[in-house]
Amino acid sequence: KPEYLSNTSTQQRFIREAQILSKINHPSICQIYDYIETDHGDFLVLEYIKGQQLYRCSLNPAQTLDALIALAEALAVAHQHEVIHRDLKPDNVMVADNGQVKVLDFGIAQSMNSLSGPRNTHAEGDACEKNTADLTQKGSLVGTIRYMSPEQARGAQLTTASDIYALGVMALEMLSKKPAYQVLETQQLLQDVQDGHLVDIHAVPPAYRPLIALLTQKSADKRPNAEEVVFLLKKIKSAPLEKRRKRLRLGWVFLMVLAVVVVVWQWQAYSMQQKQSERFDVYQSKIDELVKASEQIYALPLHNVRPEIDALFQQAAVLVGQVKTDELLDDAQKNRLYGLVYLEAESYDLAVKFLTSGGGSHAELASAWIGSYMEKVTGSVSFVQALQSEEIRNKYLLPALNHVEMARKAAQAQGLKEKTWHQAFWVAQKQSFNEAVTLLDGVIANEAWNNEAVALKALLLSAMAQSHLEQGQWEAAQEKMVATADTYRQAAQMVRSYPGNYFKLCGISLNLLVDAVQRTSDHFDSLKAQAIEDCQQHLVTQPGAVVSQGYLSLAHWLDAQWQLSFGRSADQALAQAKLWNRKAQDNVATMMGFRVAALIEVSTAESLQQKGLPVGGHLDTALNIMNDLIKKQPEWELHLIGELLLVHSHIMRNQLRLMKPTDHWYQRSLDRYQQM
């Protein structure tokens, strides 16, 4: 990158990667072809690998075993040349289109004879020495820390055993299809890595458990070397063949008897019901893989996620098509799978429909009904009114509570743990919001990112804030609004590119800014900066999001009004408000966009008045916008009357300034007010 061309540390890392790759040669290691030095910078010419990163690939058990063998063989070659990779993880492994595994990024690898002593380990995830820390530590907590060995996480001197531990963590995740640690990106993760506190390996097939336990020994001295790992993996691969050879030696008579037994057993085991169950599990596993892939995308540093998420939705559509045409599954099983897809896509009403007709579990239906209820409440003008609505209670809340109760009983009968956020939802309705928030705090602090828990906690805090507002308890309302924003910020630290967090933050920060304007807050400038940052971060993850563009326009308009109230220039704020409003309206013309456009015209007129200049046609433009909106959508007149009266007020002020009569406008305003 151009910004690193003159960076000495970068050049040293670049040269080191070339030196290391030139020493080692193996089909599973990305090869170096040339190193070019020019006045414009150095260039590393590497082998081109057409394929995908390992974590994006869905490997069957046989492919997974072959991939692990290839990785162990690559490490064996590197270790023979006394090279420690130091950053082995799924992001640094490619699977070529022909199935060949390739290990990448030896830029932070190190020859053993250059590791002379302990080094510092940065809490944010750096795996490099100090001279390369600035290139690798930023944003690498999820990608690097969780694949470190305990000694590497503690900053101790490394040996090849550290790479073996990383391979063990990868094997655990590849075989169990689950993260190796319970948390994603917290201080607790670093502590868990240092303590070697991995998840239970019982989700791994039994044949692999002893090996993974050996690879992930906390003591580096107890781990096997890479050549021994290759031998053990190949032994697992050859185990079925050895069993077949033993059976052959038993003789033809025994084989004939065995064949009969096998046929009978297969006839019993592979009945239609068993085949359907296995096929259902296959599809459910594919859904889980799509969810895991989306979580990987959201966990990456702040970036535009739309192309990657759209690609996952396309994969989901293909999966739904496969389910639809699968002749082995019955209609109920298909509907349940559709329901699971819609549940993960947060399309809760459709999830309820298909899970109900497909015989979904009570836990699945509880999640779907809770999601539908939360959507209806947050989509209402008033949380408090929605929470008290008899229609919403009967149609959404009661079914949600019923399935939560049934899911609890089913979990107890099976000796399983009830979902904590289900429990928190029950407590919120039956006991108190504060007790429910306390339960949700435990989920968010101690588990991997839980979107449902975050959304429910934010909903409860927002409902409490609005209740305080309606009672005139301004300070208490502001405290809950700040707590709501903090909830989403905490979630954003764990999933750095999840658009939903930034979108909700954008709206909440704007509400706090409005609150600041209404009560002449001393913190206006910091709240304005925060609102603009939150909305812009949502636009990073979802470019062109109309609502956030509209919110940015409104934030800059509030800034303009604030400046005008102190007699200061509002030109820059008004220019930004117009710019963002134009961007939003160019995408989709909305009522909010027209309302803000009218407000901008009013503020522009006020700015001209402060400068002693004619207001021109700005007030007429604002009036025409409001009248057109009311004419086209008369059902919204009650919501628009406030802005219309504001326009009338500014017109009367201008008339007085010009010493013209205001009786006509006063009467029109009075008529409008009486209509309310």
Side-chain angles (χ1 to χ4, degrees):
K1 295 184 179 181
E3 61 268 31
Y4 294 143
L5 289 177
S6 60
N7 187 296
T8 304
S9 297
T10 311
Q11 292 174 339
Q12 290 174 353
R13 172 177 171 175
F14 218 45
I15 294 172
R16 184 169 65 251
E17 181 164 7
Q19 292 171 338
I20 289 173
L21 287 176
S22 66
K23 292 199 302 182
I24 52 180
N25 182 28
H26 189 270
S28 292
I29 296 177
C30 178
Q31 298 300 298
I32 183 173
Y33 291 137
D34 202 354
Y35 188 87
I36 303 171
E37 296 176 281
T38 73
D39 294 335
H40 303 290
D42 297 349
F43 296 84
L44 193 63
V45 184
L46 299 175
E47 173 188 8
Y48 173 66
I49 303 167
K50 186 178 181 183
Q52 290 184 317
Q53 286 170 292
L54 180 59
Y55 74 85
R56 296 179 181 273
C57 298
S58 178
L59 305 180
N60 61 37
Q63 291 170 329
T64 299
L65 178 54
D66 288 338
L68 290 172
I69 292 173
L71 288 174
E73 290 177 337
L75 288 179
V77 171
H79 294 172
Q80 287 172 4
H81 289 83
E82 297 188 334
V83 171
I84 308 171
H85 190 284
R86 298 204 297 172
D87 196 25
L88 187 66
K89 57 184 178 180
D91 307 58
N92 286 338
V93 177
M94 292 277 288
V95 179
D97 288 351
N98 62 1
Q100 177 69 56
V101 172
K102 294 281 188 177
V103 180
L104 314 178
D105 198 2
F106 278 79
I108 65 168
Q110 190 79 21
S111 295
M112 290 179 63
N113 55 20
S114 67
L115 291 173
S116 57
R119 56 181 180 79
N120 292 326
T121 299
H122 297 269
E124 294 180 1
D126 182 20
C128 301
E129 292 181 348
K130 188 175 184 305
N131 64 342
T132 56
D134 57 329
L135 299 180
T136 57
Q137 73 174 9
K138 187 176 180 181
S140 63
L141 182 57
V142 173
T144 300
I145 284 286
R146 63 182 179 144
Y147 295 102
M148 283 185 179
S149 62
E151 65 269 23
Q152 188 175 3
R154 293 193 299 267
Q157 183 173 344
L158 301 186
T159 66
T160 55
S162 186
D163 285 348
I164 298 301
Y165 191 97
L167 180 62
V169 175
M170 288 176 59
L172 173 57
E173 293 187 344
M174 292 167 70
L175 291 165
S176 67
K177 306 297 183 184
K178 295 180 180 179
Y181 295 95
Q182 292 292 337
V183 293
L184 280 178
E185 187 176 353
T186 62
Q187 185 63 32
Q188 184 61 46
L189 172 61
L190 182 60
Q191 187 63 52
D192 286 353
V193 174
Q194 291 173 344
D195 295 339
H197 188 212
L198 296 163
V199 297
D200 194 339
I201 65 173
H202 282 87
V204 173
Y208 293 91
R209 292 173 193 170
L211 175 59
I212 290 180
L214 191 60
L215 298 182
T216 56
Q217 285 287 321
K218 188 174 180 181
S219 173
D221 296 334
K222 296 181 180 179
R223 298 171 207 150
N225 60 39
E227 292 178 344
E228 291 170 337
V229 175
V230 173
F231 172 80
L232 293 172
L233 285 168
K234 288 184 175 180
K235 186 176 180 180
I236 293 173
K237 184 175 182 179
S238 64
L241 180 60
E242 290 297 323
K243 289 181 180 179
R244 286 196 295 272
R245 288 174 177 171
K246 290 180 180 179
R247 286 198 297 269
L248 286 173
R249 288 193 290 267
L250 295 178
W252 284 102
V253 175
F254 178 77
L255 284 176
M256 292 298 293
V257 174
L258 182 61
V260 173
V261 173
V262 169
V263 168
V264 173
W265 177 80
Q266 287 181 337
W267 177 79
Q268 294 174 335
Y270 291 98
S271 62
M272 180 58 70
Q273 183 177 3
Q274 181 70 19
K275 289 181 180 179
Q276 287 179 327
S277 177
E278 290 176 353
R279 185 67 58 85
F280 184 93
D281 290 343
V282 168
Y283 285 122
Q284 191 168 20
S285 177
K286 290 182 179 180
I287 294 172
D288 293 340
E289 289 173 2
L290 289 175
V291 173
K292 184 177 179 181
S294 68
E295 291 175 350
Q296 289 278 5
I297 293 169
Y298 293 143
L300 294 172
L302 193 66
H303 72 292
N304 177 13
V305 301
R306 182 170 289 167
E308 297 165 297
I309 296 300
D310 286 347
L312 288 182
F313 271 110
Q314 291 176 2
Q315 294 179 40
V318 171
L319 181 59
V320 169
Q322 292 173 346
V323 172
K324 186 176 182 179
T325 57
D326 195 315
E327 297 180 354
L328 186 61
L329 299 179
D330 59 32
D331 290 341
Q333 290 171 317
K334 290 181 180 181
N335 285 336
R336 186 181 177 191
L337 286 168
Y338 299 152
L340 291 176
V341 172
Y342 285 121
L343 181 61
E344 297 298 346
E346 299 180 12
S347 299
Y348 296 113
D349 286 346
L350 287 171
V352 166
K353 173 184 174 182
F354 285 105
L355 286 173
T356 301
S357 60
S361 70
H362 289 295
E364 294 163 353
L365 281 162
S367 294
W369 276 112
I370 293 173
S372 290
Y373 172 74
M374 291 170 61
E375 281 186 342
K376 298 303 177 295
V377 171
T378 54
S380 302
V381 175
S382 167
F383 285 136
V384 177
Q385 290 178 3
L387 292 170
Q388 296 172 349
S389 166
E390 196 67 25
E391 180 184 359
I392 292 179
R393 174 180 174 81
N394 292 333
K395 191 173 181 180
Y396 298 98
L397 177 59
L398 292 180
L401 290 173
N402 179 57
H403 283 290
V404 168
E405 178 64 19
M406 298 300 291
R408 175 185 300 166
K409 292 179 179 178
Q412 290 174 347
Q414 299 172 27
L416 301 175
K417 185 179 179 182
E418 177 189 6
K419 288 188 176 181
T420 309
W421 81 279
H422 285 182
Q423 182 184 359
F425 182 80
W426 175 273
V427 169
Q429 304 303 323
K430 299 294 185 178
Q431 298 176 27
S432 75
F433 281 9
N434 284 323
E435 290 182 51
V437 167
T438 300
L439 278 174
L440 293 167
D441 283 337
V443 176
I444 297 170
N446 299 317
E447 296 183 9
W449 175 60
N450 187 313
N451 185 37
E452 294 89 352
V454 170
L456 180 56
K457 179 185 174 183
L459 172 63
L460 297 177
L461 290 170
S462 297
M464 287 190 279
Q466 192 165 57
S467 178
H468 288 310
L469 283 174
E470 293 181 1
Q471 297 173 38
Q473 299 168 348
W474 310 116
E475 291 183 2
Q478 186 186 48
E479 179 184 342
K480 296 302 181 186
M481 290 170 66
V482 170
T484 307
D486 289 342
T487 298
Y488 284 116
R489 288 200 174 88
Q490 182 182 2
Q493 292 174 359
M494 291 187 282
V495 277
R496 294 164 290 177
S497 290
Y498 181 61
N501 290 336
Y502 298 111
F503 176 67
K504 299 290 178 56
L505 266 175
C506 177
I508 295 168
S509 298
L510 190 62
N511 286 336
L512 286 169
L513 188 61
V514 171
D515 181 77
V517 172
Q518 291 174 341
R519 266 175 290 284
T520 327
S521 171
D522 295 333
H523 304 293
F524 176 84
D525 289 336
S526 62
L527 290 171
K528 176 197 69 176
Q530 188 65 66
I532 291 174
E533 178 184 350
D534 292 337
C535 295
Q536 288 178 335
Q537 285 181 324
H538 179 241
L539 289 174
V540 172
T541 61
Q542 293 279 291
V546 175
V547 176
S548 288
Q549 290 176 333
Y551 283 167
L552 276 170
S553 176
L554 191 54
H556 286 291
W557 174 76
L558 288 168
D559 185 24
Q561 284 298 107
W562 183 263
Q563 304 306 329
L564 289 171
S565 68
F566 289 95
R568 297 194 289 255
S569 172
D571 293 347
Q572 184 176 357
L574 285 170
Q576 286 295 312
K578 291 176 184 177
L579 173 66
W580 283 109
N581 187 259
R582 190 181 307 114
K583 287 183 178 180
Q585 293 294 83
D586 286 346
N587 285 332
V588 180
T590 63
M591 177 180 292
M592 175 185 170
F594 287 116
R595 292 170 76 176
V596 175
L599 294 173
I600 291 172
E601 293 295 330
V602 170
S603 297
T604 302
E606 185 177 352
S607 176
L608 291 170
Q609 286 177 343
Q610 284 192 4
K611 297 175 182 178
L613 300 174
V615 301
H618 292 291
L619 292 175
D620 291 337
T621 301
L623 183 63
N624 290 335
I625 291 173
M626 297 308 303
N627 286 333
D628 285 346
L629 280 177
I630 293 173
K631 182 178 179 181
K632 292 176 181 177
Q633 295 180 295
E635 69 276 11
W636 282 91
E637 182 174 5
L638 185 63
H639 300 284
L640 298 171
I641 198 72
E643 283 92 339
L644 183 61
L645 290 175
L646 176 66
V647 176
H648 284 185
S649 172
H650 277 273
I651 291 175
M652 285 189 284
R653 288 172 58 188
N654 191 53
Q655 292 287 91
L656 289 171
R657 177 172 170 263
L658 299 175
M659 301 185 69
K660 293 182 179 181
T662 61
D663 294 349
H664 168 70
W665 290 104
Y666 176 79
Q667 188 60 46
R668 289 184 64 179
S669 298
L670 185 61
D671 292 342
R672 285 288 188 183
Y673 184 77
Q674 290 174 342
Q675 288 175 11
M676 294 173 61

